[in-house]
Amino acid sequence: MQELAKELGVVLPVSFFEEANNAHYNSVAIIDADGTDLGLYRKSHIPDGPGYQEKFYFNPGDTGFKVVSVLGLECVGNINYLQKSICWDQWFPEAARAMALQGAEILFYPTAIGSEPQDEGLDSCEHWQRVMQGHAGANVVPLVASNRIGKEIIETEHGKSQITFYGNSFIAGPTGEIVAAANDKDEAVLIAQFDLDKIKSKRSCWGVFRDRRPDLYKVLLTSDGSKTSS
């Protein structure tokens, strides 16, 4: 993958199942456009629900939310910063904000999500999309979300369990607007171009980071919303 990234002059985020001694992680490595390995991120939030029982085989990630500088983005500016989170991480606005505070200029979310085996009438696709559009708009950064398509059927002790992945990969602009989108059935390549210098200026002018009140956010450090001591 490093040779491929160098050959094509592109940045490659590579998802993989990682075994580290006695632990196992859902991880992604970032390979820069010159083939340099920029390190890995281990998925922080691990879901546990019908069809998505990841706590059975993944440990919670221990890398923290990471932002890396890359050379291979075709845009205005020389070195740009991207953030990579994985699937269930995308539902947590705290993660997106943590990345933006570290200087992320583009948010990336590789995903594998679809139908809910326990409820055939539940379609979370639009919810999934709107949550990430909110991340883009709240942090004034572009966002790229990829999701697989097709069906996966596994045999369980209770019979067959089937998930239909709903695709709909998309790229959102810095106000949350959809600028490119795929459908729920076909493989696709999505392309968008952003002037990151102009977006940086807009982000600064909008004031969402200037007017933050971290002193009021201590409740976010609790698990149940209870008050924390000062």
Side-chain angles (χ1 to χ4, degrees), residues 24-197:
H24 301 86
Y25 300 101
N26 186 347
S27 300
V28 59
I30 306 295
I31 301 174
D32 209 344
D34 61 359
T36 302
D37 182 354
L38 298 178
L40 60 80
Y41 165 73
R42 292 168 172 166
K43 183 176 176 180
S44 300
H45 303 94
I46 309 299
D48 184 19
Y52 303 91
Q53 292 97 340
E54 295 185 25
K55 279 184 166 62
F56 180 74
Y57 46 89
F58 283 137
N59 295 82
D62 58 2
T63 58
F65 301 112
K66 302 182 72 173
V67 172
V68 296
S69 62
V70 297
L71 302 172
L73 293 181
E74 183 181 346
C75 56
V76 177
N78 295 319
I79 299 179
N80 305 285
Y81 298 88
L82 63 84
Q83 167 270 341
K84 196 77 174 163
S85 285
I86 301 172
C87 205
W88 191 228
D89 289 331
Q90 71 206 3
W91 294 89
F92 296 84
E94 300 92 337
R97 178 50 57 91
M99 296 296 182
L101 286 172
Q102 294 180 69
E105 294 182 284
I106 303 178
L107 304 179
F108 286 83
Y109 292 97
T111 308
I113 188 172
S115 58
E116 304 291 337
Q118 83 284 4
D119 186 351
E120 294 182 357
L122 177 58
D123 182 356
S124 63
C125 183
E126 291 186 0
H127 185 189
W128 168 81
Q129 187 177 79
R130 284 193 294 266
V131 166
M132 286 183 284
Q133 288 179 261
H135 296 338
N139 293 289
V140 196
V141 294
L143 181 149
V144 180
S146 61
N147 188 30
R148 62 178 291 191
I149 56 174
K151 293 183 179 180
E152 186 173 280
I153 302 174
I154 60 173
E155 295 285 349
T156 73
E157 60 182 358
H158 304 294
K160 291 184 179 180
S161 177
Q162 175 177 300
I163 294 178
T164 301
F165 297 94
Y166 50 60
N168 281 281
S169 301
F170 68 94
I171 300 174
T175 63
E177 76 280 16
I178 301 296
V179 298
N183 61 37
D184 62 350
K185 294 181 175 62
D186 302 309
E187 293 184 358
V189 176
L190 303 180
I191 298 174
Q193 192 169 26
F194 298 101
D195 185 330
L196 297 184
D197 283 345

